[in-house]
Amino acid sequence: QVQLVESGGGLVQAGGSLRLSCAASGRTFSNYAMGWFRQAPGQEREFVAAIAAITWSGSRTHYADSVKGRFTISRDNVKNMVYLQMNSLKSEDTAVYSCAAAATYSIVRIRSTDLYDYWGQGTQVTVSS
């Protein structure tokens, strides 16, 4: 099975930046679409960003409207890592951020939690204002 471990969360001021990392086990990492989701207290888990496996869609990226232009998802298939660079952070970005892996890719479903087969435990991001 695939193990995902997030890191890089912390406390930042509004307008600041953080880079989240997700380390994945498994030699087939490069075949998985990878996503970042977040969940704030009292809210449902929310899609943030995703990046397809190059074998499926040439590492096509997707972003929630709320983070578009501020966050960037990337992956390093050699290191089995996926990253979320978060810039211009807002207090509304405060949440637990989790990475997830999907064995299949769907443009329609990429934003849906049920596409993903494996989940990390999450890392807390707190943005103060």
Side-chain angles (χ1 to χ4, degrees), residues 4 28-36 49-57 59-60 62 73 75 82 99-106 110 115-118:
L4 303 173
T28 60
F29 168 81
S30 62
N31 297 325
Y32 283 78
M34 299 295 298
W36 285 98
I51 184 166
I54 192 170
T55 51
W56 294 112
S57 190
S59 297
R60 180 184 301 212
H62 307 264
I73 188 170
R75 67 190 299 160
V82 62
C99 69
T104 58
Y105 175 74
S106 170
I110 197 68
L115 179 67
Y116 295 85
D117 303 290
Y118 303 98

Side-chain angles (χ1 to χ4, degrees), residues 46-128:
E46 176 189 24
F47 170 79
V48 177
I51 184 166
I54 192 170
T55 51
W56 294 112
S57 190
S59 297
R60 180 184 301 212
T61 57
H62 307 264
Y63 296 96
D65 289 342
S66 59
V67 306
K68 195 174 300 180
R70 298 188 297 121
F71 292 8
T72 303
I73 188 170
S74 61
R75 67 190 299 160
D76 185 332
N77 292 327
V78 175
K79 297 180 178 180
N80 284 9
M81 298 286 291
V82 62
Y83 306 98
L84 185 68
Q85 179 66 46
M86 305 186 295
N87 298 326
S88 301
L89 283 162
K90 306 174 181 179
S91 59
E92 306 96 277
D93 297 317
T94 296
V96 174
Y97 285 71
S98 301
C99 69
T104 58
Y105 175 74
S106 170
I107 294 176
V108 174
R109 298 178 61 207
I110 197 68
R111 300 170 181 265
S112 300
T113 58
D114 60 2
L115 179 67
Y116 295 85
D117 303 290
Y118 303 98
W119 292 82
Q121 293 297 306
T123 185
Q124 176 70 49
V125 172
T126 302
V127 183
S128 62

